[in-house]
Amino acid sequence: EVQLVESGGGLVQPGGSLRLSCAASGFTFSGYWMSWVRQAPGKGLEWVANIMQDGGGKFYVDSVKGRFTISRDNAKKSLYLQMNSLRAEDTAVYYCARLVNVPTATEYFQHWGQGTLVTVSS
Amino acid sequence: SYVLTQPPSVSVAPGQTARITCGGNNIGSKSVHWYQQKPGQAPVLVVYDDSDRPSGIPERFSGSNSGNTATLTISWVEAGDEADYYCQVWDSSSDVVFGGGTKLTVL
């Protein structure tokens, strides 16, 4: 059974940093693209970032470029999101997701974790 | 950037058919995916590539896509289908795009 368990969320001041982690199990982690998707309180889903199987390719939504960094450790079967220069509008539940990527055709999120809440407030 | 438009809400009586639309410019040329999200839970993929269902998703859930509109159809609606539903596509210029979501209410 595919399991994705996020951790690392919490309360942080504007301008601060936070590192999210996602522990994967139940599948060959190194064989899949992985993603972070977020959801602000009472709002819809927003894609944040993707990372290729070997970590060589990384893609971000414009609003987090230069502030967030997605990474992975295939030996530890873990996905990370380093978030710097946090803003109030980054407040959201952050979901780790396993991505299906069909090059130049489509992408979709096959499995999701339960999410971790990040609150940016003074 | 590519935009997906969903109605904010859809209401249906138990046993009836619910249709949730997702509008986008020439969306019929893209693969559309649908997610169900119940309150306090993570999203779940219910339809991918316009009309395919992941294992474990009931046949009551089906999808179609043509022209400027994709549709998620839920037949024989049950109380347990009450949730938010999101459509999603991949666009070469926008990457991953979600619709704004539709709240399905079972009357």
Side-chain angles (χ1 to χ4, degrees):
Chain A
E1 178 192 4
V2 173
Q3 287 201 329
L4 299 168
V5 180
E6 302 93 336
S7 61
L11 175 64
V12 60
Q13 292 188 340
S17 298
L18 210 56
R19 189 195 195 207
L20 306 183
S21 298
C22 171
S25 61
F27 66 102
T28 304
F29 181 72
S30 60
Y32 288 88
W33 286 61
M34 296 295 295
S35 303
W36 289 98
V37 178
R38 67 184 178 183
Q39 185 171 35
K43 302 298 185 181
L45 300 171
E46 180 184 35
W47 167 72
V48 175
N50 289 345
I51 187 168
M52 294 178 65
Q53 293 96 324
D54 63 358
K58 303 176 184 182
F59 307 87
Y60 301 92
V61 66
D62 285 348
S63 59
V64 308
K65 283 179 181 176
R67 300 189 300 122
F68 289 12
T69 302
I70 189 172
S71 63
R72 64 193 295 163
D73 185 332
N74 286 341
K76 294 183 177 180
K77 300 182 181 180
S78 292
L79 177 72
Y80 306 102
L81 186 67
Q82 178 66 43
M83 304 185 295
N84 298 332
S85 302
L86 282 161
R87 307 166 179 167
E89 54 264 37
D90 295 319
T91 294
V93 174
Y94 284 73
Y95 295 101
C96 165
R98 192 177 89 175
L99 184 73
V100 172
N101 171 276
V102 181
T104 71
T106 194
E107 294 180 345
Y108 60 91
F109 307 99
Q110 198 174 38
H111 296 279
W112 300 65
Q114 284 304 304
T116 186
L117 176 63
V118 173
T119 303
V120 184
S121 175
S122 54
Chain B
S1 62
Y2 194 79
V3 176
L4 295 174
T5 301
Q6 298 183 237
S9 62
V10 167
S11 299
V12 64
Q16 300 302 303
T17 297
R19 294 179 178 84
I20 299 172
T21 59
C22 177
N25 183 35
N26 197 26
I27 196 174
S29 67
K30 301 181 182 297
S31 292
V32 179
H33 320 292
W34 292 90
Y35 304 89
Q36 175 195 67
Q37 186 180 33
K38 297 181 180 179
Q41 298 185 20
V44 173
L45 179 69
V46 292
V47 167
Y48 66 97
D49 289 348
D50 296 340
S51 58
D52 290 335
R53 279 186 313 278
S55 60
I57 300 301
E59 291 183 10
R60 301 185 298 105
F61 289 82
S62 62
S64 62
N65 184 20
S66 178
N68 292 318
T69 304
T71 303
L72 174 69
T73 301
I74 309 172
S75 304
W76 300 104
V77 166
E78 304 172 353
D81 298 331
E82 192 162 279
D84 294 328
Y85 290 85
Y86 295 89
C87 60
Q88 177 252 308
V89 301
W90 177 84
D91 177 76
S92 59
S93 59
S94 305
D95 214 307
V96 174
V97 180
F98 285 100
T102 298
K103 181 177 180 58
L104 175 67
T105 299
V106 181
L107 301 171

XYZ file of all heavy atoms in Angstrom, chain A residues 37 39 43-47 50 59-60 95 99 101-115, chain B residues 30-33 35 37 40-45 48-49 84 86 88-90 94-101:
448
model
N 1.763 19.936 -3.270
C 0.556 20.680 -3.617
C 0.039 21.305 -2.319
O 0.079 20.661 -1.275
C -0.526 19.756 -4.217
C -1.801 20.538 -4.531
C -0.007 19.061 -5.472
N -2.954 23.896 -0.128
C -4.339 24.333 -0.080
C -4.495 25.331 1.064
O -4.418 24.954 2.238
C -5.272 23.143 0.116
C -6.746 23.487 0.053
C -7.614 22.226 0.041
O -7.296 21.230 0.675
N -8.718 22.269 -0.698
N -9.752 27.319 0.686
C -9.512 27.590 -0.725
C -9.270 26.296 -1.498
O -9.340 25.202 -0.952
C -8.305 28.527 -0.888
C -8.447 29.847 -0.160
C -9.620 30.667 -0.688
C -9.675 32.033 -0.028
N -10.834 32.840 -0.511
N -8.978 26.449 -2.796
C -8.757 25.302 -3.657
C -7.321 24.814 -3.642
O -6.478 25.305 -2.876
N -7.064 23.850 -4.500
C -5.740 23.239 -4.588
C -4.819 24.071 -5.481
O -5.255 24.627 -6.498
C -5.864 21.822 -5.170
C -6.735 20.859 -4.375
C -6.950 19.574 -5.170
C -6.119 20.554 -3.028
N -3.551 24.120 -5.094
C -2.543 24.838 -5.886
C -1.281 23.993 -5.958
O -0.684 23.654 -4.926
C -2.219 26.199 -5.278
C -1.175 26.971 -6.094
C -0.758 28.284 -5.467
O -0.693 28.356 -4.215
O -0.478 29.242 -6.206
N -0.853 23.668 -7.172
C 0.399 22.965 -7.355
C 1.559 23.866 -6.935
O 1.566 25.061 -7.226
C 0.545 22.554 -8.821
C 1.923 22.113 -9.173
C 2.541 20.956 -8.800
C 2.874 22.843 -9.950
N 3.824 20.927 -9.306
C 4.041 22.061 -10.015
C 2.857 24.063 -10.615
C 5.189 22.473 -10.711
C 3.980 24.478 -11.319
C 5.133 23.682 -11.356
N 7.421 20.178 -8.529
C 7.652 18.803 -8.952
C 9.141 18.523 -8.958
O 9.950 19.437 -9.194
C 7.145 18.565 -10.388
C 5.645 18.561 -10.515
O 4.917 18.460 -9.535
N 5.168 18.685 -11.751
N 10.683 21.790 -10.871
C 9.767 22.744 -11.488
C 8.910 23.369 -10.394
O 8.494 22.678 -9.462
C 8.888 22.052 -12.530
C 9.689 21.288 -13.548
C 10.071 19.980 -13.309
C 10.072 21.887 -14.730
C 10.834 19.274 -14.230
C 10.830 21.195 -15.667
C 11.216 19.883 -15.408
N 8.664 24.688 -10.526
C 7.973 25.421 -9.469
C 6.877 26.331 -10.038
O 7.003 26.845 -11.154
C 8.961 26.308 -8.710
C 10.106 25.581 -8.063
C 11.308 25.400 -8.748
C 10.003 25.080 -6.772
C 12.380 24.744 -8.166
C 11.067 24.416 -6.175
C 12.251 24.255 -6.887
O 13.303 23.587 -6.297
N 0.525 19.220 0.867
C 0.406 17.804 0.589
C 1.594 17.320 -0.247
O 1.990 17.980 -1.220
C -0.868 17.507 -0.210
C -2.163 17.776 0.511
C -2.892 18.941 0.267
C -2.666 16.862 1.426
C -4.092 19.174 0.904
C -3.873 17.097 2.077
C -4.570 18.253 1.811
O -5.770 18.474 2.458
N 3.451 11.663 -8.376
C 3.047 12.215 -9.660
C 3.184 11.176 -10.760
O 4.159 10.428 -10.802
C 3.904 13.434 -9.991
C 3.561 14.206 -11.252
C 2.277 14.994 -11.069
C 4.709 15.155 -11.621
N 3.836 11.312 -14.599
C 4.289 12.265 -15.622
C 4.401 11.565 -16.960
O 5.147 10.604 -17.089
C 5.630 12.860 -15.207
C 6.266 13.683 -16.319
O 6.937 13.150 -17.201
N 6.049 14.976 -16.283
N 3.633 12.042 -17.926
C 3.746 11.560 -19.307
C 4.357 12.708 -20.106
O 3.681 13.731 -20.332
C 2.375 11.164 -19.889
C 2.543 10.639 -21.314
C 1.699 10.133 -19.009
N 5.620 12.617 -20.481
C 6.337 13.757 -21.067
C 5.583 14.426 -22.198
O 5.090 13.769 -23.114
C 7.646 13.123 -21.549
C 7.842 11.965 -20.632
C 6.472 11.424 -20.370
N 5.479 15.708 -22.119
C 4.825 16.621 -23.075
C 3.344 16.304 -23.267
O 2.712 16.810 -24.190
C 5.532 16.623 -24.456
O 5.291 15.387 -25.116
C 7.009 16.870 -24.297
N 2.781 15.500 -22.404
C 1.375 15.109 -22.582
C 0.513 15.459 -21.374
O -0.469 16.190 -21.506
C 1.274 13.621 -22.899
N 0.861 14.951 -20.217
C 0.037 15.206 -19.054
C 0.778 14.862 -17.770
O 1.805 14.187 -17.782
C -1.288 14.426 -19.120
O -2.194 14.947 -18.150
C -1.085 12.943 -18.857
N 0.229 15.336 -16.651
C 0.694 15.001 -15.320
C -0.531 14.933 -14.410
O -1.448 15.748 -14.566
C 1.656 16.062 -14.766
C 2.967 16.171 -15.485
C 3.868 17.240 -14.890
O 3.365 18.068 -14.109
O 5.064 17.242 -15.210
N -0.507 13.988 -13.470
C -1.574 13.975 -12.470
C -1.067 13.316 -11.199
O -0.043 12.641 -11.193
C -2.848 13.296 -12.992
C -2.711 11.857 -13.407
C -2.935 10.821 -12.511
C -2.385 11.532 -14.720
C -2.825 9.503 -12.905
C -2.262 10.224 -15.124
C -2.498 9.207 -14.219
O -2.389 7.901 -14.619
N -1.810 13.527 -10.112
C -1.393 13.125 -8.780
C -2.121 11.842 -8.384
O -3.315 11.853 -8.132
C -1.663 14.250 -7.788
C -1.053 15.549 -8.222
C -1.820 16.516 -8.850
C 0.301 15.797 -8.037
C -1.262 17.701 -9.276
C 0.864 16.983 -8.457
C 0.090 17.931 -9.077
N -1.365 10.773 -8.346
C -1.948 9.437 -8.192
C -2.234 9.095 -6.732
O -3.199 8.406 -6.420
C -0.988 8.425 -8.805
C -1.566 7.077 -9.126
C -0.533 6.242 -9.853
O 0.648 6.275 -9.555
N -0.995 5.463 -10.836
N -1.352 9.553 -5.840
C -1.517 9.290 -4.412
C -1.131 10.540 -3.639
O -0.218 11.275 -4.053
C -0.648 8.112 -3.962
C -1.019 6.811 -4.583
N -2.067 6.041 -4.121
C -0.494 6.146 -5.643
C -2.164 4.953 -4.859
N -1.230 4.994 -5.797
N -1.812 10.763 -2.524
C -1.595 11.951 -1.711
C -1.340 11.560 -0.260
O -1.905 10.577 0.237
C -2.834 12.840 -1.744
C -3.247 13.349 -3.077
C -3.697 12.605 -4.140
C -3.282 14.707 -3.490
N -4.010 13.441 -5.189
C -3.769 14.733 -4.821
C -2.980 15.925 -2.877
C -3.940 15.924 -5.538
C -3.157 17.100 -3.589
C -3.627 17.105 -4.900
N -0.519 12.355 0.428
C -0.411 12.223 1.866
C -1.547 12.972 2.545
O -2.409 13.549 1.872
N -1.550 12.967 3.869
C -2.611 13.615 4.635
C -2.371 15.109 4.847
O -3.280 15.822 5.268
C -2.797 12.927 5.978
C -3.536 11.612 5.867
C -4.888 11.768 5.190
O -5.735 12.550 5.605
N -5.113 11.021 4.107
N -1.168 15.557 4.563
C -0.890 16.991 4.623
C -0.326 17.446 5.952
O -0.512 16.800 6.989
N -6.734 18.253 -24.262
C -5.884 17.936 -23.102
C -6.464 16.733 -22.347
O -7.652 16.403 -22.495
C -5.821 19.138 -22.150
C -5.275 20.403 -22.778
C -5.220 21.527 -21.771
C -4.720 22.817 -22.403
N -3.338 22.696 -22.910
N -5.647 16.120 -21.520
C -6.115 15.074 -20.618
C -6.585 15.717 -19.315
O -5.850 16.516 -18.718
C -4.997 14.077 -20.323
O -4.677 13.326 -21.463
N -7.791 15.363 -18.901
C -8.374 15.960 -17.702
C -8.442 14.920 -16.597
O -8.784 13.746 -16.839
C -9.785 16.510 -17.999
C -10.403 17.120 -16.724
C -9.723 17.557 -19.102
N -8.126 15.362 -15.394
C -8.114 14.484 -14.227
C -9.012 15.091 -13.159
O -9.111 16.326 -13.047
C -6.685 14.316 -13.719
C -5.685 14.170 -14.817
N -5.642 13.058 -15.634
C -4.718 15.018 -15.266
C -4.677 13.223 -16.539
N -4.111 14.404 -16.331
N -10.421 14.985 -8.970
C -10.138 14.604 -7.590
C -11.362 14.873 -6.722
O -12.060 15.868 -6.914
C -8.949 15.396 -7.031
C -7.709 15.253 -7.873
C -7.470 16.122 -8.935
C -6.780 14.239 -7.628
C -6.348 15.978 -9.730
C -5.656 14.096 -8.414
C -5.453 14.976 -9.481
O -4.345 14.829 -10.269
N -12.442 15.495 -2.735
C -11.901 15.841 -1.431
C -13.035 16.007 -0.434
O -13.827 16.946 -0.537
C -11.053 17.113 -1.487
C -10.360 17.407 -0.166
C -9.511 18.656 -0.204
O -9.827 19.622 -0.890
N -8.402 18.643 0.536
N -11.767 17.771 5.635
C -10.707 17.351 6.535
C -9.826 16.227 6.001
O -8.974 15.724 6.736
N -10.027 15.843 4.746
C -9.255 14.748 4.169
C -8.429 15.211 2.980
O -8.666 16.286 2.417
C -10.186 13.613 3.745
C -10.960 12.980 4.890
C -11.778 11.788 4.436
O -11.525 11.185 3.393
N -12.767 11.422 5.240
N -7.482 14.383 2.600
C -6.679 14.668 1.417
C -7.493 14.365 0.150
O -8.433 13.563 0.184
C -5.414 13.811 1.428
N -7.141 14.989 -0.956
C -7.805 14.658 -2.216
C -7.546 13.209 -2.617
O -6.526 12.620 -2.244
C -7.156 15.616 -3.221
C -6.613 16.724 -2.390
C -6.178 16.077 -1.097
N -8.479 12.674 -3.392
C -8.370 11.321 -3.934
C -8.641 11.394 -5.430
O -9.615 12.020 -5.858
C -9.388 10.370 -3.274
C -9.385 9.015 -3.966
C -9.085 10.217 -1.789
N -7.788 10.772 -6.220
C -7.983 10.727 -7.669
C -9.167 9.812 -7.978
O -9.174 8.645 -7.569
C -6.712 10.196 -8.336
C -6.709 10.053 -9.850
C -6.720 11.432 -10.526
C -5.492 9.248 -10.310
N -8.888 9.748 -14.241
C -7.704 10.289 -14.890
C -7.794 10.071 -16.405
O -8.558 9.231 -16.865
C -6.422 9.673 -14.315
C -6.252 8.195 -14.593
C -5.468 7.749 -15.650
C -6.862 7.244 -13.770
C -5.308 6.394 -15.895
C -6.715 5.894 -14.006
C -5.922 5.473 -15.070
O -5.769 4.135 -15.316
N -7.026 10.852 -17.121
C -7.037 10.774 -18.590
C -8.466 10.798 -19.144
O -8.845 9.947 -19.947
C -6.306 9.512 -19.062
C -4.803 9.604 -18.856
O -4.313 10.723 -18.563
O -4.120 8.578 -18.976
N -15.956 18.086 -2.181
C -15.467 19.032 -3.191
C -14.790 18.243 -4.307
O -14.066 17.274 -4.040
C -14.466 20.013 -2.590
C -15.100 20.946 -1.572
O -16.289 21.290 -1.739
O -14.404 21.334 -0.608
N -12.402 18.601 -7.858
C -11.492 19.469 -8.598
C -11.088 18.808 -9.916
O -10.722 17.631 -9.935
C -10.223 19.743 -7.798
C -10.429 20.521 -6.524
C -10.696 19.873 -5.321
C -10.355 21.908 -6.517
C -10.883 20.590 -4.149
C -10.540 22.629 -5.337
C -10.804 21.962 -4.174
O -10.996 22.674 -3.014
N -8.305 18.987 -13.177
C -6.881 19.363 -13.294
C -6.359 18.955 -14.671
O -6.724 17.902 -15.194
C -6.083 18.680 -12.195
C -4.570 18.921 -12.242
C -3.796 17.700 -12.674
O -3.952 16.620 -12.141
N -2.893 17.884 -13.645
N -5.533 19.793 -15.242
C -4.859 19.475 -16.496
C -3.396 19.855 -16.381
O -2.974 20.535 -15.433
C -5.463 20.221 -17.709
C -6.931 19.880 -17.870
C -5.259 21.728 -17.594
N -2.618 19.417 -17.348
C -1.248 19.889 -17.511
C -1.216 20.724 -18.776
O -1.750 20.318 -19.813
C -0.280 18.715 -17.620
C 1.121 19.159 -17.869
C 2.030 19.559 -16.933
C 1.785 19.262 -19.127
N 3.211 19.907 -17.531
C 3.103 19.730 -18.893
C 1.407 19.010 -20.447
C 4.026 19.960 -19.896
C 2.321 19.228 -21.467
C 3.616 19.691 -21.192
N 1.675 26.597 -18.467
C 1.272 26.822 -17.076
C 1.650 25.681 -16.153
O 1.480 25.783 -14.943
C -0.232 27.049 -16.987
O -0.649 28.108 -17.822
N 2.125 24.574 -16.692
C 2.396 23.349 -15.930
C 1.079 22.815 -15.363
O 0.110 22.727 -16.097
C 3.452 23.592 -14.856
C 4.332 22.371 -14.626
O 3.762 21.294 -14.389
O 5.566 22.474 -14.664
N 1.015 22.502 -14.079
C -0.200 21.913 -13.515
C -1.219 23.003 -13.190
O -0.891 23.998 -12.540
C 0.126 21.118 -12.242
C -1.158 20.638 -11.564
C 1.040 19.945 -12.577
N -2.451 22.796 -13.629
C -3.529 23.757 -13.381
C -4.722 23.028 -12.771
O -5.145 21.988 -13.274
C -3.978 24.441 -14.685
C -5.093 25.446 -14.401
C -2.802 25.128 -15.377
N -5.250 23.593 -11.685
C -6.468 23.069 -11.060
C -7.630 24.019 -11.335
O -7.444 25.247 -11.405
C -6.302 22.971 -9.537
C -5.446 21.842 -9.065
C -4.130 22.068 -8.698
C -5.955 20.559 -8.962
C -3.325 21.036 -8.247
C -5.166 19.507 -8.516
C -3.850 19.747 -8.155
N -8.823 23.453 -11.438
C -10.015 24.270 -11.418
C -10.273 24.749 -9.991
O -9.645 24.279 -9.042
N -11.203 25.683 -9.850
C -11.467 26.266 -8.545
C -12.224 25.362 -7.585
O -12.322 25.659 -6.395
N -12.738 24.249 -8.095
C -13.448 23.302 -7.244
C -14.956 23.487 -7.266
O -15.452 24.612 -7.427
